[in-house]
Amino acid sequence: MNFFTDIRLRELGGCYRRDFVSWSFKDHRVNSLSLSTTAEFERCHNAPLLCLDVDPVENKYLLCASSSAEFSLFSLDSSIEDSNRIFYQPIEVIRRNDGIHHSTHKAPITCISWYPFDTGMVFTSSEDGLLKVWNTNTMSVCDEFKIKSPVHSHSMSQYNSTPCLLAAGSSNSRVYLFDLKTGGTTAILKGHSEAVFDLKWSPLNSSLLISSGGDESICMWDIRKYTKPLTRLITNKGKNPALRPSVCGCIFSEDGLLIAGITSSNKLQVWDAMLHTSVWSMKINKSILTYLRPLRMSISKRHSTQYLFVPAATEIRVVDFAFGSEFNRLNAHMDQVYCSSYLQDTQELLTCSKDCNILLWCSSKLEDKYQSSSESEDD
């Protein structure tokens, strides 16, 4: 059903969906995503880009971190427009041994994220065993947590409550919970037998946390009862135990009722978060990750169909979270894609890769419209 059919049904009284115009427009833009030919990000890191994040408050600022223990800050509102092209330059780059920033990480930054409630705070975790809290006004470290083993991921609770919890997963198979208000360790969760690669808080329950690890499983935790996991979601159940793919990424659906996991063998699997049963699974690529790193998926929100953006080798797969239908394949990166971040306000996608590039994906028809309007202005 397309946009004009929806309008016709509304006029005839056959469509009762309140937001059908908005949803249909958003779905159309996601289905027509392609590499932007007008937007380009300055290449400010000569090392693989492992993670990126757009601030959830304004959708205006982009953070990107590399394996050289450096990260950069871009403003998506300020760019240089020249010859029908948009060029984004970093407004701040934190480099190692630059003589200005003395509290930088000493090993690859594996995860970077914004404080969920304003743009005044940034979190970075690294293989040097440190989780740092940055003040974005001064771009300096205001606090840090020592874990003493490589940290692969962290996640901040989306609930502005007491305590204000920050979870971190490390290579020693443990999940650490830190209280930002007191600066102390609230709990240590022990349930995985291998390294923890990714973490996500439930949007439905402020006490529910999931973690994915190298032991082919996703653990669900109730942080009020952290002696053991509530349940374990196994990706390789019933098969050869010697072939143990690591679950490199996990994510909740918008309503918190589904959980998706992506393995090092590029198998995507979705479970019911309430029944703890598998809903569907699919092989999205034949390649296997040779060097294990977190793979970070993203989702669309406030759409009629919930889209899941999955890094799959050098491409990004766009699939239906609920049913597993594939809508699009985005190909442009030259090496392994590690992270994707969906811009909810503009229906655009940002991705970073081992090829050291940040790419912007937007609606192809919107690109054509922009180019034609620029040409008409020049005439």
Side-chain angles (χ1 to χ4, degrees):
M1 186 179 294
N2 59 34
F3 176 78
F4 297 104
T5 303
D6 277 340
I7 292 180
R8 181 173 179 273
L9 284 174
R10 184 194 67 177
E11 298 302 318
L12 295 175
C15 185
Y16 301 96
R17 194 174 64 193
R18 182 178 179 183
D19 296 327
F20 77 93
V21 174
S22 173
W23 287 351
S24 180
F25 179 71
K26 290 178 179 179
D27 290 345
H28 172 72
R29 293 194 61 175
V30 172
N31 289 327
S32 62
L33 281 177
S34 63
L35 180 65
S36 173
T37 58
T38 60
E40 181 181 356
F41 285 84
E42 179 180 326
R43 184 171 177 172
C44 51
H45 301 292
N46 294 318
L49 302 181
L50 303 182
C51 49
L52 53 80
D53 190 38
V54 178
D55 77 278
V57 179
E58 302 177 37
N59 263 219
K60 179 180 177 182
Y61 297 105
L62 168 68
L63 290 167
C64 186
S66 74
S67 62
S68 60
E70 302 173 345
F71 70 92
S72 51
L73 172 63
F74 292 85
S75 174
L76 300 179
D77 278 357
S78 61
S79 58
I80 301 174
E81 297 190 22
D82 182 38
S83 302
N84 302 335
R85 295 188 65 83
I86 305 172
F87 189 68
Y88 294 97
Q89 292 181 316
I91 57 179
E92 187 76 37
V93 180
I94 307 298
R95 301 190 184 277
R96 291 178 60 187
N97 306 321
D98 59 0
I100 302 174
H101 305 96
H102 303 285
S103 301
T104 57
H105 287 286
K106 308 302 180 185
I109 297 176
T110 53
C111 187
I112 190 167
S113 66
W114 289 96
Y115 182 62
F117 311 109
D118 62 58
T119 56
M121 201 184 305
V122 168
F123 307 106
T124 58
S125 52
S126 168
E127 292 182 1
D128 61 8
L130 296 176
L131 197 164
K132 294 178 181 287
V133 183
W134 298 75
N135 183 341
T136 56
N137 296 311
T138 59
M139 293 309 292
S140 60
V141 176
C142 56
D143 199 1
E144 70 176 26
F145 302 95
K146 297 181 181 180
I147 299 179
K148 297 181 180 180
S149 65
V151 185
H152 293 299
S153 184
H154 65 260
S155 182
M156 177 73 194
S157 174
Q158 303 295 316
Y159 294 87
N160 195 2
S161 59
T162 303
C164 200
L165 294 178
L166 179 65
S170 69
S171 62
N172 65 4
S173 75
R174 298 177 182 179
V175 176
Y176 296 82
L177 297 181
F178 301 106
D179 189 341
L180 284 181
K181 295 183 179 179
T182 64
T185 303
T186 302
I188 300 177
L189 311 180
K190 302 176 183 179
H192 288 282
S193 58
E194 300 288 344
V196 178
F197 287 106
D198 203 8
L199 298 158
K200 289 294 185 297
W201 291 92
S202 170
L204 187 64
N205 187 339
S206 61
S207 301
L208 189 62
L209 175 72
I210 59 172
S211 59
S212 62
D215 53 1
E216 66 178 357
S217 70
I218 294 176
C219 287
M220 296 182 64
W221 305 89
D222 185 340
I223 61 171
R224 297 166 298 183
K225 304 173 183 178
Y226 48 81
T227 54
K228 63 179 181 178
L230 288 176
T231 187
R232 292 168 60 92
L233 308 175
I234 309 297
T235 61
N236 200 35
K237 190 173 182 179
K239 298 184 179 180
N240 187 354
L243 303 174
R244 294 167 60 95
S246 299
V247 186
C248 297
C250 60
I251 194 169
F252 274 103
S253 60
E254 181 184 8
D255 55 14
L257 299 179
L258 296 174
I259 299 171
I262 178 70
T263 70
S264 56
S265 59
N266 279 305
K267 176 187 177 183
L268 178 64
Q269 190 163 352
V270 172
W271 293 267
D272 187 305
M274 301 298 178
L275 302 177
H276 309 154
T277 56
S278 178
V279 178
W280 59 267
S281 64
M282 64 184 295
K283 186 78 172 179
I284 58 175
N285 200 281
K286 295 182 180 180
S287 63
I288 298 177
L289 286 176
T290 54
Y291 188 78
L292 294 180
R293 287 199 183 278
L295 299 177
R296 294 186 170 89
M297 301 174 282
S298 58
I299 60 171
S300 65
K301 297 181 180 179
R302 301 182 299 276
H303 287 58
S304 60
T305 300
Q306 185 158 177
Y307 298 95
L308 178 64
F309 303 93
V310 187
T314 60
E315 61 186 12
I316 301 95
R317 300 287 184 93
V318 184
V319 300
D320 186 336
F321 205 135
F323 302 103
S325 305
E326 184 175 311
F327 293 101
N328 204 349
R329 294 187 183 188
L330 308 178
N331 293 280
H333 282 290
M334 304 301 293
D335 213 326
Q336 174 68 50
V337 180
Y338 287 120
C339 185
S340 67
S341 182
Y342 182 69
L343 304 178
Q344 308 292 343
D345 293 344
T346 58
Q347 294 83 55
E348 296 173 333
L349 185 70
L350 288 164
T351 58
C352 67
S353 165
K354 192 177 179 179
D355 61 13
C356 312
N357 293 316
I358 302 173
L359 298 184
L360 175 67
W361 309 82
C362 64
S363 173
S364 56
K365 294 192 175 182
L366 185 68
E367 284 274 293
D368 297 338
K369 182 178 179 180
Y370 173 82
Q371 289 182 338
S372 61
S373 62
S374 300
E375 292 171 359
S376 60
E377 289 176 1
D378 293 339
D379 296 338

